[in-house]
Amino acid sequence: MSEVLLELHGVTVRFDGLTAVHELDLNIERGMIRALIGPNGAGKSTVFNVVTGIFRPSSGSIRFRGEEISRLNPYHIAARGIARTFQNIRLFKNASVLDNVKVGRHYRCRSNIWDALLRLPGFKAEERQTAEASLEVLELVGLAHKKHELAMNLSYGEQRRLEIARGLASNPVLLLLDEPAAGMNPQEKKNLMRLIQDIRDRGVTVFLVEHDMKFVMALSEKITVLDYGRKVCTGSPTEVRSDPRVIEAYLGKEVG
Amino acid sequence: MDDFLKQFINPYYLQVLMLLGIYLIAALGLHLITGVTGQLSFGHAAFLSVGAYGAALLNIHLDLPFLLCLLAGGLLAALAGVFVGFPSMRLSGDYLGIATLGFCEIIRVVFMNLEITGGARGLAGIPRETNLLTVYILVILTIVTIYRLQNSRFGRALVAIREDEIAAECMGIRSIWYKVGAFAIGSFCAGVAGGLYAHMLQYLNPADFGFVRSFELLCFIVLGGLGSISGAILGTTILTLAPEMLRFSAEYRMMMYGTLMVAMMIFRPRGLLGGVDLRRLIRSSFRSRDRDTTTPAGG
Amino acid sequence: MDLQTLLQQMINGITLGSTYALIALGYTMVYGIIKLINFAHGDVYMLGAFVGLAVVLMGANIWLAIFVAMLACLCVAVTIERVAYRPLRSSIRLAPLISSIGVSIFLQTLMTLLKGPQPVGFPQVVTNTIYTVGLVKISTVQIIILVVAAVLMIGLQLVIKRTKMGKAMRATSEDLRTASLMGINVNAVISFTFALGAVMAAAGGVLVGMYFNSVFPLMGVMAGLKAFCAAVVGGIGSVPGAVLGGLFLGVAEVLGVAAGLGSYRDAIAFGLLILVLLFRPSGLLGQPEQRKV
Ligand SMILES: Nc1ncnc2c1ncn2[C@@H]1O[C@H](COP(=O)(O)OP(=O)(O)OP(=O)(O)O)[C@@H](O)[C@H]1O
Ligand SMILES: [Mg+2]
């Protein structure tokens, strides 16, 4: 069995009164495309937020490569190699596409205020390298030709891809994608699917939340179903598809 | 140098030009805090006053060289910026603005009551050391500094914080350090400007550094186009020189100033240069020129 | 400080605080609805004081003066909103703020041009008897201020809680977009909010003129700023909060002065403001903000 990268154990998240995630156990193995699905309000985004340190869990433990991260701040967690995208795209809208990706490389770089002021060769080399690495990621998501465009001027699908590029720029170990296909047309979805596979093939483990069942089933190797903050089941796409509890959870609610 | 210039320029205009340079330095500092990092500050004048009093007192009492006084004034202001910045970082948006306004007024009242600053009577007897050359060398230095900061890892982090603090933190940016850093550098600029101001007017009064002055500085950067260096420079220049051009009585002038502010906001709510990216403009004009030259050859 | 002085200072503080509260209401209501710190509000208060003075000088009594001042300020505030803020409603957050500073400068210099920068005396309009109640003394003027302020605040509360317009105001301050989708005439609601705030501030202006016997073009600057602090301390957006905040700052200021901090008088309000912001950023009665991701 391959190495467990991320390990949630008994994670509960409460917002005054409401329990968004209840006693969740979840393992993410290295090198997989892993999915988390569930009806609206099931607590999927909350799981992402708690893994990336935006919320603290009310109880439970979150381990990343063996290290407890549930008490860390988002910037510490990012530095350990977890990158993410957001369900409601959170780009730096008034910055250029290239600058968005460069920010993604933030903790991979070292230069400080003095370097910026004096512009010594070391600084210049690092800037050059940042630009190259960022362009390479933009190339990968197919946005290199728009590098000088402001992020806010991109189409919806392009913005989603830029967010992925920004996350990838830091060479993360684990990439969390919150509804990456939302609002895309079938062609864009197909391209996105290939992109996510490419990302996995580069050795990045992908953990994604998605409502489009066809998309999830085709892409992921292992799926966890969440309903009202509780885990319904975990299994391969075929197992999940035929599980009566899953059908019940979705019954009367939308199905992809 | 100034004596030389005085042969050609009316000393009053010389003074106005120096004042413009001083405001430019202070406004560029605020530009870093509010324009680039997106942290609303209604208290920038307080840092100006810390630098002004700091530099003036060091000069009067310790007889330090002028440039050292300026530096010390700037550092004191930066210290005040950190002092104000740290607790304020729990606040965001308007609340941060209000807190900085509060700090600004408290600092003014303190200067009004201290023995050493001359209290409400003001501080007189500051030697006149500021001259046009020093001011504009420092202006250029400030522009280069801010430009270089903006176009670096540090500056990109500041912009990321302005655009979306949560997303920025998820990219590994420890936002509080950067926000306090921006406050410190911006206040340093204000402090240096304050030192220049003190050694130009040779007299300081706490009433000159109230929140009205803070708002004035904010108007400078917003009117020119928030977030761009050229916008900050343009806004400061127009709003500093316009009242001098309007040759009416002081009251009419202020009335027109107020009207102008409302009108500018209505007709160009993003500022004069808002939405205009000079670098992009230049780049695209180059590109179109490239195209002009290559098309005939290629086609 | 003995008990008698303390009680006496409390009365004086509450009187001063209720004038802050009257101004604070305008700040808080406007902020609650369009998230604008209306820096011209203090100057509307100043205009109210001048209009009241003019009416009094024509021989009218204080009630008529307050009424006319209210009407005048209502018109002014609605016009300001229409001309200087409404066109900016969808632009960047700082635009209306800068615009309000512009309006503030305009109004201050306009009055300076008309009346000169020096304070103008406010004639004594009521025979100012001093009553002794138990340990403390209270003057006719103070009683008028307290009664007028109380009546206005209760009236305001009734308007907000009982009338259709008041309900629309509350809906709009919850969520402007939803309110307009539900068919509420948001423009009318906003004008109405400015009008209400101006009416309160105008009354405050006349009362303060009468209390301190003087009126001047820059009187709205410090008073407005402190009233704004009061609104934030009480919890911006909350009407009872503004009243509480006003009274709190008024009492603190008067007690501070009595305790020998006279020369730091103007810093007291700001010091309290910062303390409250740091420990309870949403103010004494405000709702804490939720962090949404
Ligand atoms: N910051 C918050 N404060 C209070 N409640 C919250 C907060 N964030 C989420 N919730 C609640 O937690 C529950 C789970 O929300 P979450 O966003 O995780 O659902 P989701 O599975 O991502 O749904 P969707 O498919 O709609 O994105 C919801 O009931 C939501 O209202
Ligand atoms: Mg979600």
Side-chain angles (χ1 to χ4, degrees), chain A residues 13-16 18-21 36-49 55 87 178-179 209-211 226 228-229 254, chain C residues 290-293:
Chain A
V13 185
R14 252 179 246 115
F15 298 113
D16 35 33
L18 178 123
T19 305
V21 177
L36 181 64
I37 62 171
N40 285 111
K44 306 177 297 290
S45 298
T46 306
V47 171
F48 275 19
N49 288 335
F55 299 147
Q87 181 174 352
D178 199 345
E179 305 203 8
V209 164
E210 186 47 63
H211 273 297
L226 212 59
Y228 289 111
E254 33 65 275
Chain C
Q290 288 259 343
R291 168 146 128 155
K292 271 272 170 206
V293 184

Side-chain angles (χ1 to χ4, degrees), chain B residues 1 3 22-23 28 35 41 66 70 72 80-81 86 111 115 156-158 182 219-220 223 226 241 244 261 263 286:
Chain B
M1 151 99 180
D3 290 329
I22 290 169
Y23 281 155
L28 283 165
S41 169
F66 176 53
L70 284 185
F86 252 115
F111 279 140
E115 195 68 44
R156 288 191 296 268
L158 298 185
C219 293
F220 289 170
L223 252 79
L226 198 59
L241 297 186
E244 308 301 330
M261 274 163 62
F286 272 123

Side-chain angles (χ1 to χ4, degrees), chain C residues 34 78 81-82 86 89 165 172 176 180 184-194:
Chain C
I34 54 174
V78 170
E81 190 275 326
R82 185 73 194 74
R86 194 175 298 177
R89 212 173 284 157
M165 205 50 167
T172 311
L176 196 136
S180 81
I184 290 174
N185 181 347
V186 172
N187 282 335
V189 170
I190 293 174
S191 294
F192 185 73
T193 309
F194 272 85

Side-chain angles (χ1 to χ4, degrees), chain B residues 104-114 206, chain C residues 263-267 270:
Chain B
C104 172
E105 283 301 291
I106 290 174
I107 288 178
R108 184 180 61 84
V109 173
V110 168
F111 279 140
M112 202 107 109
N113 284 287
L114 287 181
Chain C
S263 49
Y264 284 91
R265 177 180 195 141
D266 287 341
F270 298 107

Side-chain angles (χ1 to χ4, degrees), chain C residues 197-211:
Chain C
V199 162
M200 300 283 147
V206 182
L207 293 174
V208 165
M210 183 177 75
Y211 192 33

Side-chain angles (χ1 to χ4, degrees), chain C residues 16-54:
Chain C
L16 181 67
S18 57
T19 67
Y20 288 161
L22 283 176
I23 314 174
L25 288 166
Y27 281 113
T28 222
M29 287 190 292
V30 166
Y31 192 89
I33 287 200
I34 54 174
K35 300 281 172 286
L36 164 70
I37 305 176
N38 177 15
F39 279 105
H41 187 59
D43 304 291
V44 169
Y45 150 90
M46 174 272 292
L47 280 186
F50 271 103
V51 173
L53 172 66

Side-chain angles (χ1 to χ4, degrees), chain B residues 95, chain C residues 28 31 228-242 244-245 276 280-287:
Chain B
Y95 286 95
Chain C
T28 222
Y31 192 89
F228 175 64
C229 290
V232 178
V233 165
I236 199 143
S238 151
V239 168
L244 181 72
V276 168
R280 218 185 132 76
S282 49
L284 298 175
L285 300 183
Q287 312 248 322

